[in-house]
């Protein structure tokens, strides 16, 4: 069989999907042969090993020797502007991998800028002998990237993807319902003129959170002032810049809902720069409950998204269908619960 050459001129390694097709077995069976599991019949094992030799398939042997027979070699690919979110997700995944004896490998896809970058990045992870991949947003929303990962046959769990149906196995929360609940929390405390800082335009969670905000305001009979809706980028600085514009207005809001904690911290900084006290002069709420929410002053009232738990459960979800052919191919979409965490950044107004 001729070797595959990428557009960059680099040799592309055979994938586990190609081994499975040549041997006439499932990818799960190939994974079991690679991990020396005894449940594979000898005749099947021989076919898989012959396909591996013919295709010159090269898994990462060092990682597999370290992992042992029942361990998995799991990748996590990311390109996320919020360090707080990524850190929490990573902690959860690392803790579960440590408990289960799996190995977690991180791949930074921040160099992914153009569609032509995809082949090289996917080739890098497909040649690493990974058993499966955890895909972190916004990469979990990228149709081109996901189609390329499907082509090379690497099992994936998508964290907070664009849709929960027809998008493979995923793990998420209901962003729209959570944002609606937080907006209702502010309205119940007397706030009517509420500002909103949305997240990055290209992330579906930004749109869902704004939709939840709109729903709560409409149900309460409150109008949304377009000047009080500002685009952020899920970063501290973008939250501060958005709040600067709102607080420079003659009729400033009594509360601002920032759709992540990093931006909410920036809103609080902007308030102090404008000589306003939080919460006495303006209330501020966030979203995620990352460590910054309790590290800043005043401590932030926020939506607790179980980010570490998402990382933890995503490892189990991935392992469940790598290790069980009965689960392979099923679309599983667990949705985790959220909660409002009350701290010191909201004041009831008359």
């Amino acid at each position: 069989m001729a070797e595959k050459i990428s557009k960059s001129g680099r040799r592309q390694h055979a994938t586990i999907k190609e081994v499975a097709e040549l041997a006439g077995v499932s990818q799960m069976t190939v994974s079991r042969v690679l991990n020396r599991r005894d449940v594979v019949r000898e005749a099947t094992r021989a076919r898989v090993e012959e396909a591996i030799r013919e295709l010159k398939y090269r898994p990462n042997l060092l990682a597999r020797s370290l992992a042992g027979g029942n361990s998995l070699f799991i990748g996590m690919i990311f390109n996320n502007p919020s360090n707080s979110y990524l850190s929490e997700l990573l902690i959860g995944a690392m803790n579960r991998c440590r408990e289960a004896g799996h190995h977690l490998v991180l791949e930074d896809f921040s160099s992914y800028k153009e569609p032509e970058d995809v082949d090289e990045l996917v080739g890098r992870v497909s040649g690493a002998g990974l058993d499966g991949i955890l895909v972190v947003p916004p990469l979990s929303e990228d149709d081109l990237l996901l189609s390329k990962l499907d082509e090379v046959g690497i099992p994936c769990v998508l964290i907070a993807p664009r849709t929960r149906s027809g998008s493979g196995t995923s793990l998420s929360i209901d962003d729209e319902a959570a944002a609606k609940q937080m907006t209702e929390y502010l309205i119940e405390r007397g706030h009517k003129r509420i500002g909103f800082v949305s997240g990055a335009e290209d992330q579906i969670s930004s749109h869902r959170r704004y939709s939840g905000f709109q729903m709560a305001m409409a149900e309460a009979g409150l109008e949304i002032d377009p000047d009080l809706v500002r685009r952020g980028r899920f970063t501290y600085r973008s939250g501060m810049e958005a709040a600067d514009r709102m607080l420079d207005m003659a009729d400033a809001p009594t509360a601002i809902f920032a759709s992540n904690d990093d931006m909410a911290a920036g809103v609080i900084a902007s308030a102090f720069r404008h000589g306003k006290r939080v919460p006495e002069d303006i209330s501020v709420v966030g979203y995620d409950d990352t460590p910054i929410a309790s590290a800043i002053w005043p401590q932030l009232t926020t939506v607790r998204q179980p980010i570490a738990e998402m990382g933890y459960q995503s490892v189990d979800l991935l392992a469940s269908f790598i290790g069980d052919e009965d689960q392979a191919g099923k679309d599983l979409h667990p949705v985790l619960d959220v909660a409002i965490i009350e701290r010191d950044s909201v004041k009831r107004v008359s």
Side-chain angles (χ1 to χ4, degrees), residues 288-343:
D288 285 338
D289 197 30
T290 51
I292 195 173
S294 55
I296 59 175
W297 182 85
Q299 292 188 344
L300 185 67
T301 293
T302 187
V303 174
R304 172 172 287 169
Q305 180 178 188
I307 304 171
E309 183 65 18
M310 290 174 75
Y312 189 99
Q313 289 196 28
S314 66
V315 172
D316 280 343
L317 194 56
L318 183 61
S320 71
F321 67 86
I322 289 176
D324 185 350
E325 291 186 8
D326 292 335
Q327 294 293 324
K330 289 186 178 179
D331 282 349
L332 305 173
H333 309 286
V335 178
L336 304 187
D337 293 331
V338 301
I340 290 180
I341 305 302
E342 295 187 76
R343 294 196 179 96

Side-chain angles (χ1 to χ4, degrees), residues 73-78 86-87 89-91 93-94 97 103-109 124-125 128 130 133-134 136:
F73 190 33
I74 294 174
M76 176 183 280
I77 60 174
F78 62 91
L86 183 60
S87 296
L89 200 64
L90 181 57
I91 287 170
M94 288 178 63
C97 283
H103 288 258
L104 185 67
V105 176
L106 304 181
E107 286 286 352
D108 186 352
F109 272 34
R124 189 169 75 199
V125 295
L130 298 171
I133 294 177
L134 310 177
V136 177

Side-chain angles (χ1 to χ4, degrees), residues 181-202:
Q181 185 180 353
M182 176 57 88
T183 307
E184 290 169 343
Y185 172 89
L186 290 173
I187 294 170
E188 288 167 1
R189 281 149 186 79
H191 296 279
K192 299 179 180 179
R193 188 164 172 77
I194 304 172
F196 188 85
V197 185
S198 63
E201 173 68 25
D202 61 349

